[in-house]
Amino acid sequence: MQGETIVLYPAPGIGHIISMVELAKLIHKHHFSTTILLTTGFSDHPSIDAYIRRISAAYPTISFLRLPHVAAPTAAASFLGKCFTFVKSNVTNVATTLTQISESATIKAFVIDLFCTSAMEPASSLQIPVYYFFTSGAAVLALCCYLPTLHRQTTLSFKDMVGAELQVPGNAALKAVNMPEPMLDRNDIAYCDMLDFCTHLPEARGIIVNSFPQLEPAAVKAVAEGACFPNAERAPSVHYIGPLIAEPQQSDVATENKQCLSWLDEQPSKSVVFLCFGSRGSFSVSQMKEIANGLERSGLRFLWVVKRPTQDERIKHVVDITSEFDLASVLPSGFIERTKYRGLVVKLWAPQVEVLSHDSVGGFVSHCGWNSVLEGVIAGVPMIAWPLYAEQHVNRHVMVEQMKVAIAVEQNEEDGFVSGEEVEKRVRELMESQEIRETSLKLKHLALAAVGEFGSSTKALANLVQAWSGFSA
Ligand code: UDP
């Protein structure tokens, strides 16, 4: 008898691959073999190969298949624009590979990243059911599903609609200028691709989402009732299987990692504010100095992860996340010395999942990346929501208004700048608010229950796998 497999196809880059591998690990628990297709030629890094070797050794039912090399696009375009073009140029390879796999095994489902929408067509023509793995939450899913409608409502780019607010089902009103980056400029090639991806979303057999209904009730309801798909023939089935948290990775900065965890061991329970802005989030030197001043004046204990500064006040992320820089040159003079008994500044990277689950951590200042949000929720740590880029403004609304586990920081309309006084005020408020702390703990228990033995997310995945077991092409 032919074997059976689930094929998974992440977008290039370690973040996308890790998310898909975490899903494969869950599927592995149901004794299904999985094959993960990996592109070659864009966003490759030796650390990805090392990671894949580790996973292959630990999970024999997860196999990886490298697609043939495809040259990275050279045309002038944003990083995402290039990434989308690159993924599209892999479509023939994907078709060939799916055909080859089908010769020796039945592909029960093909699970793709949103950015890999171009692979939907060859899979469908082979009668393989296509599912999306949506690594953000339901609020962002609602926004994506509704993008084609928003697009039809205007001829302007959202970046030019200063002062306008967008109404998206299941979401709080969103400033048009705070739309996620690839949705901002309709003249950008990446915008056209994003619109295409979002148009195809309802055509999938199902959408697997890294969230659970009690986390984002309004968005989950809007998606379930079809409010976001006004023109789709049918709303796709949506499977909430989260929170799915990536296992901590061994990294090159192991020594610093140990240092900050042992520093936390010496701090009193729930006393430390942890500031970390994702894998790429960063600020100008003047913004870093304001943060430092605010932390110093608050008198609170803190652990702050600092990346190489940006050159432009409006740019809130760095591309090169590993290159060295001089910490003293981005902080106020004497800051490290003056705060050394109650603060620690870590360069580049800290083991966030371990830090958040440490008893000494009492608050988390976050850039609202969805993985960070889920990690904060599962640790039961109250948060300050400080969105920087991508879909983080959408997440901020959910954290503050729906989950009620975060306080919003007030940002300058124009460039997102936050004053030192505001930092001081909000970190104090965060550490003193009993109400948010209690809500965070309640949500932590709901999250743990959702992924527990009888939880909604565990059941949702079990039902999905059962449906796959029954499918025959
Ligand atoms: N992360 C970490 N240490 C850092 C910065 C980031 O471990 O110093 C991890 C964090 O735990 C999370 C991921 O990197 O799992 C960041 O993902 P998220 O979706 O929050 O934000 P993004 O980096 O995609 O903007």
Side-chain angles (χ1 to χ4, degrees):
M1 197 181 103
Q2 261 207 337
E4 294 176 342
T5 192
I6 309 294
V7 180
L8 307 159
Y9 184 32
I14 185 72
H16 295 274
I17 296 170
I18 288 177
S19 298
M20 214 48 116
V21 167
E22 291 301 324
L23 179 63
K25 287 185 196 167
L26 277 189
I27 297 171
H28 161 89
K29 288 190 187 161
H30 293 268
H31 313 291
F32 243 117
S33 89
T34 50
T35 308
I36 302 182
L37 307 187
L38 298 172
T39 58
T40 315
F42 187 83
S43 263
D44 297 338
H45 193 273
S47 63
I48 297 182
D49 301 317
Y51 170 74
I52 285 163
R53 277 196 298 276
R54 276 205 307 279
I55 296 295
S56 304
Y59 297 88
T61 59
I62 303 178
S63 52
F64 293 88
L65 225 163
R66 278 237 169 244
L67 299 173
H69 181 271
V70 169
T74 49
S78 63
F79 177 81
L80 275 181
K82 283 186 183 152
C83 174
F84 296 166
T85 306
F86 172 78
V87 174
K88 276 190 281 183
S89 50
N90 273 275
V91 73
T92 315
N93 289 333
V94 173
T96 312
T97 307
L98 288 177
T99 308
Q100 280 165 356
I101 297 173
S102 302
E103 281 160 13
S104 58
T106 307
I107 303 176
K108 292 288 188 171
F110 183 45
V111 183
I112 60 173
D113 189 288
L114 182 66
F115 296 171
C116 299
T117 292
S118 52
M120 187 183 243
E121 207 272 317
S124 300
S125 63
L126 290 166
Q127 317 285 308
I128 301 168
V130 178
Y131 290 77
Y132 279 102
F133 180 37
F134 198 82
T135 49
S136 290
V140 178
L141 174 64
L143 173 66
C144 287
C145 297
Y146 203 63
L147 180 68
T149 308
L150 292 173
H151 175 80
R152 281 192 297 274
Q153 286 170 353
T154 177
T155 52
L156 297 174
S157 288
F158 299 121
K159 73 174 178 44
D160 298 325
M161 293 168 62
V162 180
E165 286 194 331
L166 304 173
Q167 305 295 334
V168 176
N171 277 257
L174 176 70
K175 285 186 185 140
V177 292
N178 285 340
M179 281 288 269
E181 190 193 313
M183 300 182 187
L184 274 172
D185 181 357
R186 61 167 65 204
N187 299 314
D188 182 356
I189 176 90
Y191 178 95
C192 304
D193 285 329
M194 200 66 197
L195 185 62
D196 181 59
F197 304 159
C198 295
T199 306
H200 281 84
L201 259 172
E203 293 164 18
R205 179 72 63 96
I207 305 173
I208 304 165
V209 185
N210 190 7
S211 187
F212 63 102
Q214 287 141 313
L215 198 60
E216 315 173 79
V220 167
K221 185 167 180 279
V223 171
E225 290 174 351
C228 319
F229 311 97
N231 295 313
E233 282 168 22
R234 59 168 184 95
S237 60
V238 182
H239 312 268
Y240 295 97
I241 55 107
L244 184 55
I245 308 276
E247 268 176 47
Q249 302 304 313
Q250 293 162 353
S251 79
D252 305 337
V253 285
T255 325
E256 278 97 329
N257 288 358
K258 277 193 206 112
Q259 187 204 340
C260 82
L261 291 173
S262 46
W263 180 84
L264 282 173
D265 288 342
E266 289 156 19
Q267 312 306 315
S269 179
K270 307 279 174 269
S271 68
V272 176
V273 183
F274 174 53
L275 299 93
C276 188
F277 300 88
S279 56
R280 297 185 293 138
S282 190
F283 303 99
S284 65
V285 170
S286 57
Q287 177 67 87
M288 289 200 201
K289 290 193 169 156
E290 289 293 310
I291 297 174
N293 290 336
L295 288 175
E296 190 167 355
R297 281 200 300 263
S298 76
L300 290 163
R301 290 186 166 76
F302 64 86
L303 170 60
W304 179 17
V305 187
V306 172
K307 295 220 167 9
R308 167 179 281 281
T310 62
Q311 301 303 320
D312 181 333
E313 199 57 68
R314 286 160 303 173
I315 307 287
K316 308 288 182 192
H317 54 83
V318 281
V319 176
D320 181 0
I321 57 170
T322 52
S323 75
E324 278 297 323
F325 63 97
D326 176 24
L327 204 48
S329 69
V330 303
L331 298 173
S333 162
F335 171 78
I336 293 182
E337 182 59 27
R338 288 194 302 278
T339 58
K340 69 179 175 194
Y341 296 111
R342 62 181 175 85
L344 182 65
V345 182
V346 177
K347 253 201 296 190
L348 301 173
W349 196 262
Q352 181 167 295
V353 173
E354 284 112 310
V355 168
L356 285 171
S357 61
H358 197 289
D359 178 61
S360 302
V361 173
F364 177 25
V365 182
S366 171
H367 75 316
C368 313
W370 190 244
N371 291 307
S372 295
V373 175
L374 294 179
E375 288 160 12
V377 165
I378 207 99
V381 178
M383 294 180 260
I384 285 181
W386 185 332
L388 300 180
Y389 53 89
E391 82 298 0
Q392 295 154 11
H393 288 273
V394 178
N395 296 340
R396 180 199 47 183
H397 286 309
V398 181
M399 295 159 75
V400 175
E401 286 158 36
Q402 295 233 333
M403 302 181 194
K404 299 194 189 322
V405 295
I407 297 168
V409 83
E410 203 174 305
Q411 297 174 280
N412 183 322
E413 285 268 318
E414 182 91 341
D415 56 11
F417 198 80
V418 177
S419 69
E421 288 78 27
E422 174 71 4
V423 173
E424 176 190 354
K425 182 174 147 194
R426 296 302 177 194
V427 290
R428 283 219 179 110
E429 193 184 335
L430 176 74
M431 297 306 266
E432 284 163 11
S433 168
Q434 210 40 44
E435 202 182 332
I436 295 195
R437 194 161 301 280
E438 280 165 17
T439 313
S440 303
L441 276 179
K442 278 188 200 142
L443 199 58
K444 166 186 174 155
H445 293 301
L446 290 175
L448 289 173
V451 291
E453 192 182 349
F454 304 107
S456 63
S457 297
T458 309
K459 275 191 209 146
L461 188 79
N463 291 342
L464 187 58
V465 173
Q466 205 176 12
W468 289 341
S469 313
F471 164 79
S472 57

